[in-house]
Amino acid sequence: MLYSQTTGAGPDLVLLHGWGFNSDLFDSLIEKYKHQYRITKIDLPGHGRSDDVAGGLDEWCDEIIKLLPNNPILLGWSLGGLLAINLAKKIKLSKLILVASTPNFVQNSHWQYGINADNFQQFSNALSLNLSKGLKRFVSLQTQNKNQLKTLIQSIDTLPASASALNQGLEILLTSDLTEHFKHLSIPIEATLGSRDTLVPHTIKQWYSNQNISVSLLDTGHLPFLHNDFKL
């Protein structure tokens, strides 16, 4: 069973976090927008307070669907964005918001907007050696707000992801290529990127623009929703 929590009033907005983290990462965003949206945050399978789910991309999405309200706005950050893109072909959404995310995280012969597969593997291996320490260092590079940083670090310590979920998540990131599916989505889509993001290159902005998608580029790393200028 997956954990979820709903706060606020207004149009339904669902938040999906990224690899290794949990939905508490969005608490400051929820506090900011709870008077404009009815916001549901979900811990991904094996992350935070959620149970493990066997399988991969589709199995994870099938479990998430069980918690979704009708026709929601779906915001996905990083891995959560990849899941959100896949969910968009399974259910009706009113809008898709991608934050530091992409339909394909890894470079290949026809996709230049990802990171090198070997570099990605080295990054994930280094994190896996000491996940807590690695994630803490990662978030410390993303925000200078000490209170925000303290809250994020406490969440990482309190609610670590399971080893199997981390492996599943990495496999999803390494092997999922949803670019063709993404091109055929007919719902409103918005994207926010970080100009200093080392995982999702900001050069994908042009590709998104070519798909007639509105793109915001903020002076930040891989956590643009923590930036003061981030807006829904």
Side-chain angles (χ1 to χ4, degrees):
M1 187 172 182
L2 302 188
Y3 167 87
S4 68
Q5 183 183 68
T6 300
T7 307
D12 278 302
L13 170 66
V14 177
L15 309 176
L16 299 178
H17 64 82
W19 181 85
F21 289 89
N22 61 76
S23 61
D24 289 357
L25 192 71
F26 292 123
D27 282 354
S28 60
L29 187 67
I30 292 170
E31 188 63 27
K32 183 177 179 181
Y33 284 101
K34 66 182 180 181
H35 300 297
Q36 295 175 237
Y37 297 94
R38 182 174 181 265
I39 306 174
T40 299
K41 65 177 186 177
I42 298 173
D43 284 347
L44 298 185
H47 290 68
R49 292 140 292 206
S50 288
D51 295 332
D52 285 322
V53 172
L57 178 64
D58 283 320
E59 289 78 12
W60 279 26
C61 287
D62 289 343
E63 286 300 309
I64 291 169
I65 285 172
K66 297 175 182 179
L67 299 174
L68 297 182
N70 290 329
N71 199 25
I73 302 167
L74 191 55
L75 181 153
W77 165 65
S78 195
L79 170 60
L82 196 61
L83 296 171
I85 293 168
N86 197 54
L87 284 162
K89 70 180 180 182
K90 292 174 173 282
I91 61 167
K92 184 178 180 182
L93 302 177
S94 61
K95 183 190 288 187
L96 178 63
I97 302 174
L98 301 175
V99 181
S101 196
T102 162
N104 185 0
F105 275 80
V106 180
Q107 288 177 6
N108 58 38
S109 58
H110 68 274
W111 184 252
Q112 60 179 303
Y113 305 109
I115 62 175
N116 179 275
D118 290 337
N119 290 344
F120 188 93
Q121 197 66 60
Q122 290 172 15
F123 167 77
S124 62
N125 288 345
L127 276 179
S128 298
L129 289 173
N130 190 329
L131 180 67
S132 177
K133 182 178 179 180
L135 291 180
K136 288 175 186 176
R137 181 176 183 276
F138 179 73
V139 297
S140 71
L141 297 174
Q142 311 297 322
T143 178
Q144 302 302 313
N145 184 316
K146 291 184 178 179
N147 289 331
Q148 194 174 63
L149 185 59
K150 181 180 178 181
T151 300
L152 292 174
I153 288 175
Q154 184 177 12
S155 174
I156 291 167
D157 281 337
T158 306
L159 299 166
S162 72
S164 60
L166 293 172
N167 289 331
Q168 287 171 293
L170 286 176
E171 184 68 14
I172 292 170
L173 287 167
L174 280 167
T175 63
S176 300
D177 184 351
L178 302 179
T179 51
E180 288 306 311
H181 157 66
F182 184 84
K183 291 177 183 178
H184 293 95
L185 293 178
S186 57
I187 56 174
I189 303 174
E190 298 176 1
T192 300
L193 304 169
S195 62
R196 293 182 278 110
D197 194 339
T198 57
L199 296 177
V200 177
H202 66 83
T203 52
I204 197 178
K205 181 178 186 293
Q206 185 58 52
W207 186 85
Y208 276 141
S209 297
N210 290 343
Q211 314 306 314
N212 297 314
I213 292 168
S214 172
V215 184
S216 299
L217 183 64
L218 301 179
D219 182 23
T220 185
H222 193 56
L223 293 167
F225 58 88
L226 297 180
H227 195 281
N228 288 333
D229 292 337
F230 179 81
K231 292 181 176 62
L232 289 174

